[in-house]
Amino acid sequence: MDEALLRSLTPGVLGILVRRGADFAAAEDAVQDALVEAVRVWPADPPRDPKGWLVTVAWRRFLDATRADAARRRREEVVEEPEPGPVPAVDDTLQLYFLCAHPSLTPSSAVALTLRAVGGLTTRQIAAAYLVPEATVAQRISRAKRTVSGVRFDQPGDVATVLRVLYLVFNEGYSGDVDLAAEAIRLTRQLAAAVDHPEVAGLLALMLLHHARRAGRTGPDGSLVPLAEQDRARWDTGLIAEGVAILQAALARDRLGEFQAQAAIAALHADAPTAEETDWVQVVEWYDELARLTDSPVVRLNRAVAVGEADGPRAGLAALAALDDSLPRHTAAAAYLHERAGDRATAARLYAEAAHKAPNLAERDHLTRQAARLNARPDR
């Protein structure tokens, strides 16, 4: 049984059922029934038209469920059996992206629904990837399906909402038996093939450029390796070249958005042979553009660190002083800039403080080691 084929066909089959009048929750149940039947039947009797077979079986399951539900008798009266024949070559996946990213959904529900309906992942796989109980994910998906069941396709989320959902998936990183970063890239490639939008291309370029550095991000013991200390020979030059080419094509359209700006910063890092050779002046300029587009305090925090590299640590600390010190990673940035400025005692104290605020174990361990390194040799 070709599981990859089933997975690739699922979004299109689901989209066809919804377009024919099935509500989202009922359509998803019918498609799952059809997939179970395919696993049972196809090994001995593979269909000539797999997608058409799935649509036919899923639609019949939907009709059976509709007829069995007295509350949907009125809807049953207007449902008609589709004419036999090949399924039109229409990609309904795009509609599912927008439905799954509907503004009425919370980010966590939108992510779970996107992975389930568009990505074809099981509830168990999603739960394992997020390291949460399967029941929690099932509840999120169930609530999300109820929310969007009455939503028409002329009331979807916009492109920006879809992109933010995909970026959330990507940023969850790598855990369990599902690589969420790779899954997000796969989904974004699908979207980029269907939507001619520079920000879709910008997000894809950003993901590829970040993903290219994956092998260098951790040491042999699993410890976090900062960008400046990474072995750049371990970076994936093929992904970097692809990401840069996609970004250049998007920037040439002169419709700058935040994902393109972020990708431009990532490209400057990827292009530098060493950390010292990074074009920090350009990095600061791109952060200025990004701050203009987003007005994000986190962007301004990252800009302060870049200013510290371009104009010296004192300039970076001055830029950092203008920001709220409760911002995530503010203390870690201050520690780094104080160390660059030669104030190792203050840096050690701030690294230890930042470790207590770290959002994950890997980052906490890294910051703890930085504090220990400075405390062990405070005058060197």
Side-chain angles (χ1 to χ4, degrees), residues 1-11 13 35 42 46-47 49-51 54:
M1 170 57 60
D2 190 342
E3 293 184 7
L5 174 61
L6 286 176
R7 182 171 166 180
S8 69
L9 293 175
T10 298
V13 175
L35 292 175
W42 286 11
D49 179 7
K51 184 175 182 180
L54 287 171

Side-chain angles (χ1 to χ4, degrees), residues 111 129-130 163-175 179-182 184-185 203 206-207 210 217 259 262 329 360:
V111 167
Y130 278 93
L163 295 182
R164 291 192 185 284
V165 168
L166 291 172
Y167 198 36
L168 281 172
V169 175
F170 181 80
N171 283 332
E172 285 299 323
Y174 331 98
S175 57
D179 185 337
L180 285 180
I185 291 173
L203 178 58
L206 176 63
M207 289 179 174
H210 280 322
R217 285 200 183 99
F259 289 119
Q262 288 188 60
R329 297 184 173 88
N360 56 66

Side-chain angles (χ1 to χ4, degrees), residues 285-296:
E285 290 174 354
W286 276 111
Y287 271 123
D288 288 337
E289 290 286 351
L290 191 55
R292 179 182 61 80
L293 290 165
T294 66
D295 195 29
S296 165

